[in-house]
Each structure stands twice: as C-alpha cells, then as structure tokens.
Amino acid sequence: MVCAISQQQTQQDGRRVRAVELQEDTGDAVSGTLVLPFGLQLGRGIILQIDDTAALPFRFSTCIPAGRLVPLKFDGETVAAFREGSTLGVKAQSINARELTFSVSLKGFTAARERLKALVGT
C-alpha cells in the first residue's frame, strides 16, 4: 500500500494550477512529485523556498498530460522547516521569460504527516 499527503490548487474553471504529493522516505526524509502547468521553461528548473529560508533548486524530469513533473526529495532538516513554516514558494520562469510564483500552504502539514506516518507504520 502506498500512502501520501497531497495538495492541489485549481482555478475557478477547475483547471489544476499545481499539485504536490509527498510520501515517507528513509529516516525523516520525504519524497514526492510536484506537478506544474505547461508553458514553463524546462531548462531553468524551479526554486522552492520555505518562507524566507534558503532557496532550494529542483529540475523538471518530464512532461505528462497533467503538466510538468518535478521530482522532490527533502531531508529531515527541510521537513522540520516545513513544520515551522507557513508557505512553500515555488518560482519558475515562463517560456516568455516571465517569473511566475506559486504558493503551497504548509498549514496542516504536521498533522497530515503524523497521520501518514501512522498509516504506513513508521
């Protein structure tokens, strides 16, 4: 059985803007996938930032009909910052060189992760 925590943001017309899914990994780490919309420069990758902490660069891995995929892996220190933080900022660049910012709320992350850990028995 694979259990995960996830969050999606959609526009008023129901189109997904972004989605993130995280699963338990080894130790205190979590891993998962971020799905972002088309129209972003693949070669530039993205920058993630928890509130005002240091920027974390990530690369796109591929595109699927749902959007562009970014594989994620966060160590225990970063996961601890999730518990203390309020927002995970996602910065990307559009194909016409505009900087785009998406926000992922971290509200409820700790409770969701604790429930996930209970379900998977870690």
Side-chain angles (χ1 to χ4, degrees):
M1 172 173 60
V2 176
C3 296
I5 55 178
S6 66
Q7 185 184 104
Q8 293 188 58
Q9 179 183 4
T10 57
Q11 293 179 339
Q12 288 182 335
D13 63 5
R15 290 185 300 163
R16 182 174 45 215
V17 174
R18 58 118 190 106
V20 62
E21 179 177 289
L22 297 173
Q23 302 169 351
E24 287 297 308
D25 207 321
T26 57
D28 286 335
V30 297
S31 60
T33 305
L34 176 64
V35 182
L36 293 172
F38 295 107
L40 301 176
Q41 288 191 17
L42 287 176
R44 299 284 304 232
I46 64 166
I47 301 294
L48 299 181
Q49 190 170 18
I50 303 164
D51 297 331
D52 294 324
T53 62
L56 305 167
F58 285 87
R59 308 297 283 168
F60 290 101
S61 66
T62 192
C63 298
I64 61 172
R68 299 185 184 273
L69 299 183
V70 179
L72 303 172
K73 183 161 183 159
F74 300 110
D75 61 19
E77 184 178 325
T78 304
V79 172
F82 282 176
R83 289 192 297 266
E84 301 297 319
S86 62
T87 303
L88 176 65
V90 181
K91 292 181 183 176
Q93 193 168 63
S94 73
I95 55 175
N96 28 351
R98 279 190 29 226
E99 185 174 289
L100 303 173
T101 304
F102 305 90
S103 294
V104 178
S105 173
L106 296 174
K107 183 178 180 181
F109 173 80
T110 300
R113 177 135 190 264
E114 291 304 315
R115 180 67 178 140
L116 178 62
K117 289 169 86 172
L119 289 172
V120 298
T122 60

